[in-house]
Amino acid sequence: MSAGPEPHEVSADDLRYLLAVARVGRLVAAAALLGVDHTTVRRRLDRLEAALGARLLDRGADGWQLTAIGRAIVERAAPLEGIVEQVVAAASGGDAVRGTVRVAAPEGFGSLFAAPALARVRAEHPGIALELVTSTRPLSLRGSGFDLAVTVGSPAGARVRAELLTEYALRLYAAPSYLAARQPIRALADLEGHDLVFYVDALLTVRELDLAAELEGMRLGFGSTNVFAQLEATRAGAGIGLLHAFMGEGAAGLEPVLPRAVDFRLPFMLSTRPDSPAVDAVAIVRDALRAEVAARRDELLPPR
């Protein structure tokens, strides 16, 4: 029976390369994060796998994915990067909290809520580098590529810790010119035959957003995967938009349509990757996001 690897045979610096690939899922992106070329990343990973005698990564459809052993190693090695950052901070006399935090969020929430929250974190903690990635899709099952993620609904199957961040409302809005050219809309039955502006049905991957069927009699007239395009199409008179209330309420060129009758409430969940290396920095960003939604609750959930 062969003995396992000795601690002195495993390079702590090679573990940092594994952490980087676990964070972004791709060798080229990890290389950019570390300031090296991708061949160096590959060489360091090969050396680490040889030293440990185990395969740590498999190539998947959306990048490199950790094996079961790889996940276990990353979870245990995650504090390493934070320790290195703290040592650098102590030596330089700078901000005690350092690290890179990547936040994934839907376009609307990311632009209007996450961005200002992250800007304040950056102003208060210059040692924290921040990355915001926006898209509306379920989390990857491998749960990497981010440190914090805001999603619509719970991240089914992803290896993350999830909590309710806030609920938000979706309501109907239309341009005054659109409404003036048609019969008054006073009840749900009056929506029949109207064009709906919403997501593209065939490309909708978030189950909670499958709401078009709830508006019987309406037909999807303009679909877009981008909420800002939905907003502008509604403002231009393409139809009645089922929009985030925090974008449509009080917006110039829009009027609410049946706000008491149509008011969908959906959850924004906040997920934390358990093996994120910048633990203290992640906690600061998490608190900033929670403070942002608490301070602007009326925008997310306007009175009925």
Side-chain angles (χ1 to χ4, degrees):
M1 182 175 179
S2 61
E6 294 293 331
H8 69 270
E9 297 175 332
V10 179
S11 165
D13 198 42
D14 289 348
L15 286 169
R16 289 180 58 243
Y17 281 73
L18 178 65
L19 290 171
V21 176
R23 174 192 289 274
V24 297
R26 298 183 183 278
L27 297 188
V28 173
L33 194 65
L34 294 165
V36 299
D37 60 71
H38 73 279
T39 58
T40 299
V41 176
R42 180 69 269 177
R43 186 171 66 253
R44 292 296 196 97
L45 293 175
D46 288 344
R47 187 169 72 179
L48 181 60
E49 289 184 333
L52 293 171
R55 186 167 184 80
L56 306 177
L57 293 161
D58 286 326
R59 185 182 289 278
D62 58 347
W64 289 90
Q65 300 181 12
L66 292 167
T67 63
I69 294 175
R71 284 195 300 273
I73 290 171
V74 165
E75 288 176 7
R76 288 161 176 78
L80 176 65
E81 190 171 347
I83 291 171
V84 173
E85 294 285 1
Q86 291 173 31
V87 169
V88 171
S92 64
D95 190 340
V97 181
R98 299 175 65 91
T100 299
V101 179
R102 174 174 290 183
V103 178
E107 293 96 341
F109 181 90
S111 299
L112 301 179
F113 286 82
L118 298 183
R120 279 192 290 276
V121 169
R122 179 66 182 164
E124 295 171 9
H125 301 276
I128 300 178
L130 297 158
E131 300 174 350
L132 177 60
V133 179
T134 58
S135 68
T136 303
R137 61 182 178 83
L139 290 186
S140 166
L141 289 177
R142 60 190 170 93
S144 62
F146 67 90
D147 299 291
L148 289 163
V150 179
T151 57
V152 181
S154 297
R159 300 181 182 93
V160 296
R161 294 191 296 266
E163 60 183 307
L164 176 66
L165 178 60
T166 181
E167 288 190 323
Y168 72 100
L170 289 120
R171 292 181 173 180
L172 295 176
Y173 300 89
S177 59
Y178 178 93
L179 296 173
R182 291 160 178 82
Q183 293 297 315
I185 300 174
R186 298 191 177 96
L188 288 172
D190 297 330
L191 293 173
E192 186 167 356
H194 282 275
D195 286 339
L196 177 66
V197 178
F198 197 47
Y199 288 96
V200 180
D201 285 341
L203 300 178
L204 195 57
T205 57
V206 178
R207 174 179 52 82
E208 288 82 356
L209 288 171
D210 189 13
L211 299 171
E214 302 290 327
L215 300 169
E216 296 182 12
M218 297 192 74
R219 57 179 181 269
L220 185 65
F222 184 100
S224 175
T225 57
N226 185 288
V227 293
F228 292 101
Q230 295 172 19
L231 174 68
E232 293 306 321
T234 303
R235 206 186 326 247
I240 299 176
L242 181 57
L243 307 175
H244 296 67
F246 62 76
M247 297 174 67
E249 204 71 17
L254 290 179
E255 291 184 7
V257 177
L258 302 178
R260 294 188 178 183
V262 180
D263 185 284
F264 296 106
R265 301 289 171 105
L266 298 180
F268 276 136
M269 302 297 292
L270 179 60
S271 298
T272 307
R273 187 161 63 89
D275 57 358
S276 178
V279 177
D280 293 339
V282 168
I284 288 172
V285 175
R286 173 185 173 276
D287 290 345
L289 291 172
R290 295 192 68 84
E292 187 73 18
V293 300
R296 299 170 61 186
R297 182 175 174 81
D298 286 348
E299 294 178 53
L300 291 154
L301 295 168
R304 289 176 172 172

